[in-house]
Every structure is written in structure tokens, then in C-alpha cells.
Amino acid sequence: MTLNAQATGPDTASDAQGMTIVARTQGQMVRRRFFRHRAALAGMILFGFVVILAFSSIGFAGIPGWWDKTYLDTGALVNQGKPTLSVVPEFLGGDGIRLGEHPFGQDDIGIDYFALTMRGAQQSLIIAFLVGIVGTVVGTVVGAVAGYFRGGTESVLMRLTDVMITIPVLIIAAVIGRMMGDSGAVVLGVFLGLVLWPTLARLVRGEFLSLREKEFVEAARAVGTSARRIIFRHILPNTIGVIIVAATLSVASAVLLESALSFLGLGIQAPDTSLGQLISRYRSAMVVRPWLFWWPGLFIILIALSINFIGDGLRDAFDPRQTRVRA
């Protein structure tokens, strides 16, 4: 075997056996590990499909969609409101692959259930994203300040965090939903995010307690770097893996939490709708017209499952114990 003693470029080197070793940055390693995680990749594709379908079909924020019906227009019941969606090809004895006029069927007063489900998915996704964003920002700031400054600051912030953790999440969310449910998805999502940050705060605090004693932080202090710059420019980038994974999983939890609130009548209020509210509204029709229960339930499962798959992939990708990528 011929030994390759000279690197072929700035990012390559050769070992004693003539094998080329490619140097990669941490970001490149994370991306490669994530995209080699099959479940995470499938979850990302599925979640992207659901988001695009929900927001492009019936339109959003005044932008029209490609579906010609809305979630408010009523009409005459067609075939007793049964779904017209067909996915069985004709050569297999089915009606062929087609959407039909009402692919998800119609509700009691003739509203197209596909449009209604897409509106519910929009509202549930908006709330979930806002809870994830707001909760991540608040939890990161609280955990970073507590972990870096220690002392009285840490005591006050962590005691507040402990109090928030001891109160069941559903009770806090129910109170907020009762107060803010009529205000729309944006307001409800923001207020839920403002109280659903304690778990992330504790995770970030733990990371900061470890990193604040590292040599690069001591060096930054020695040259007179301000505390704010040390927190946001030196320590926080090293905790980004924990934050991203926790934020992703919090979005999945928020979808289920919003569905539970709306099912209890404490979330989004009529005339608007959400996936949980649709399940609550038509749970009595599960025996006679089960599709009114199945479709919103299916979308809740798809959203929560796909986000959890993405979170699992991110957790494995950011795992520092994985030092190489299998070919």
C-alpha cells in the first residue's frame, strides 16, 4: 500500500496507513449525524408536509389558498357528509385516487371538514410555535443569569423556578386558557410560553454552572470582558445543543397541551377552531360519523410524532459522545 504523506488540501491529512481523514467542524458533524438519522429525516419531511398543507390550502393572513372552500361557509350535505377522498386505485377495486368535493367530509351544518381541519391545524401550530419560542427565550435567559451570577440572583430565580415546577402545568394552562382563550391563538400562545419555561431554565443553568469555570471564560474575565458579552458570546453558543433539543420537544408538548385545553373548552373559542376543539365538538359523533373525530386526531398525532422524531434526531446529533459519522 502506498503511503500518502502529503495532505491533499487544507482540510485533509493522511495517516500512516494512507487513509484520507477529512477534518470537519462541529456544525458539519451535527448536520451529518442529523441527516443520517432516518426517523428524524422522516419526521422533518412529514412535519414540513403538514405545515405546508395547513397554511397553503385555505390560505393565511389574507393570502388565498388553493382550496376553494373556507372553514366558515356552509352548504348542502353531499352523500350525508361522508368523505369523498379515495386513495385506492381502480385496478385494486377502488374508486381511483381523487380528492372529491369534500375529501374529509362535512360537519352537521355542511361546512367542508377539510377546510375546518386545516384551520384547526393552523391555530394549533401557531400556539405551539409561540409557546416554544417564548418559553425558550425566557427559560434561556433565566437559566443563563442564574448559572453565571450565582449567589442571591441564582437563589431568587431558582426558587421562582421551583415554585413554577411544583404547580401542575395543566392547571396553569387552564387558568391562562380561561382568561385568554377569547383573545386568539397569538395571545394564548404568548401567555402559555411565559409560564412554560422552568424545565429549560434548569437545564441551561446546569450547563452554565459547568461552563463558567472553563479556561476560556476565565480568560475572558481576565481581559475585562463584560458579563453580558461572556454570557451571550462565549458561554451561550456552547449550550445551543441543549437549548435546540429542549425547544423542539417543547413544541410537541405544546401541541398536546393546546389540544387538551381546547378539548376541555378552555382554549381557542368559537367561531375560530383548533384541533382539540374539533375533537371535543364531535366526540359524540364518533360512532355514527367517526371521520369527524378521526381527522383532527390524526393531525394531532402526526404533528406531535414528527416533532418528537426531529427532537430525537437533534439530541443524537448534538451528543458530544458521538465523535464520528458512520458512512
Side-chain angles (χ1 to χ4, degrees):
M1 180 182 294
T2 302
L3 297 180
N4 182 9
Q6 183 178 5
T8 58
D11 292 331
T12 62
S14 300
D15 63 10
Q17 297 180 353
M19 297 175 62
T20 300
I21 301 174
V22 180
R24 297 188 178 92
T25 65
Q26 179 66 22
Q28 290 174 328
M29 291 292 292
V30 169
R31 285 195 298 271
R32 286 172 66 85
R33 286 197 292 258
F34 178 78
F35 284 110
R36 289 173 184 267
H37 195 293
R38 295 180 180 178
L41 197 59
M44 186 173 64
I45 294 172
L46 177 61
F47 183 68
F49 171 76
V50 171
V51 172
I52 293 173
L53 179 65
F55 285 92
S56 69
S57 57
I58 62 172
F60 181 73
I63 302 175
W66 49 265
W67 190 244
D68 60 351
K69 300 175 182 63
T70 73
Y71 68 97
L72 295 174
D73 295 338
T74 61
L77 288 176
V78 178
N79 192 25
Q80 298 179 345
K82 295 180 180 179
T84 59
L85 176 66
S86 175
V87 294
V88 181
E90 294 182 357
F91 66 87
L92 294 178
D95 296 329
I97 299 176
R98 59 182 178 84
L99 290 177
E101 186 176 357
H102 301 285
F104 287 7
Q106 294 172 280
D107 70 355
D108 298 328
I109 57 177
I111 296 178
D112 180 68
Y113 208 60
F114 174 78
L116 203 58
T117 304
M118 293 303 102
R119 178 60 179 180
Q122 285 183 2
Q123 297 299 87
S124 296
L125 286 169
I126 290 172
I127 292 174
F129 278 123
L130 286 174
V131 170
I133 292 171
V134 175
T136 299
V137 171
V138 175
T140 299
V141 172
V142 171
V145 172
Y148 181 79
F149 289 106
R150 305 291 308 269
T153 302
E154 180 188 24
S155 297
V156 172
L157 292 177
M158 286 300 100
R159 296 302 76 75
L160 175 62
T161 302
D162 291 339
V163 171
M164 297 291 294
I165 290 177
T166 58
I167 304 175
V169 172
L170 188 58
I171 292 179
I172 300 177
V175 173
I176 294 175
R178 182 68 175 176
M179 297 171 57
M180 302 296 174
D182 293 330
S183 302
V186 174
V187 176
L188 180 60
V190 169
F191 274 87
L192 286 176
L194 288 174
V195 297
L196 299 180
W197 51 264
T199 301
L200 178 59
R202 295 186 70 89
L203 290 174
V204 173
R205 170 182 169 269
E207 293 292 315
F208 266 70
L209 288 176
S210 174
L211 292 171
R212 72 187 298 274
E213 306 299 334
K214 298 295 184 180
E215 290 80 1
F216 68 92
V217 177
E218 295 293 341
R221 290 198 194 101
V223 298
T225 306
S226 65
R228 185 181 68 176
R229 186 176 179 85
I230 291 176
I231 291 174
F232 290 103
R233 294 294 299 272
H234 295 280
I235 302 181
L236 191 59
N238 289 282
T239 66
I240 196 67
V242 173
I243 295 172
I244 290 177
V245 173
T248 304
L249 297 177
S250 71
V251 173
S253 299
V255 171
L256 299 177
L257 179 62
E258 184 280 327
S259 300
L261 288 179
S262 296
F263 182 81
L264 296 173
L266 300 173
I268 298 296
Q269 302 297 318
D272 215 334
T273 189
S274 70
L275 295 176
Q277 188 194 85
L278 290 176
I279 291 178
S280 176
R281 188 188 308 174
Y282 298 111
R283 65 182 183 274
S284 60
M286 187 173 180
V287 177
V288 293
R289 291 194 295 169
W291 59 87
L292 298 178
F293 186 89
W294 287 347
W295 291 117
L298 175 63
F299 271 81
I300 291 174
I301 293 173
L302 291 179
I303 294 171
L305 195 61
S306 61
I307 297 177
N308 275 301
F309 282 158
I310 295 172
D312 288 342
L314 289 171
R315 182 187 58 200
D316 293 343
F318 280 104
D319 188 352
R321 292 171 295 181
Q322 296 193 28
T323 57
R324 66 188 182 93
V325 180
R326 295 179 180 177

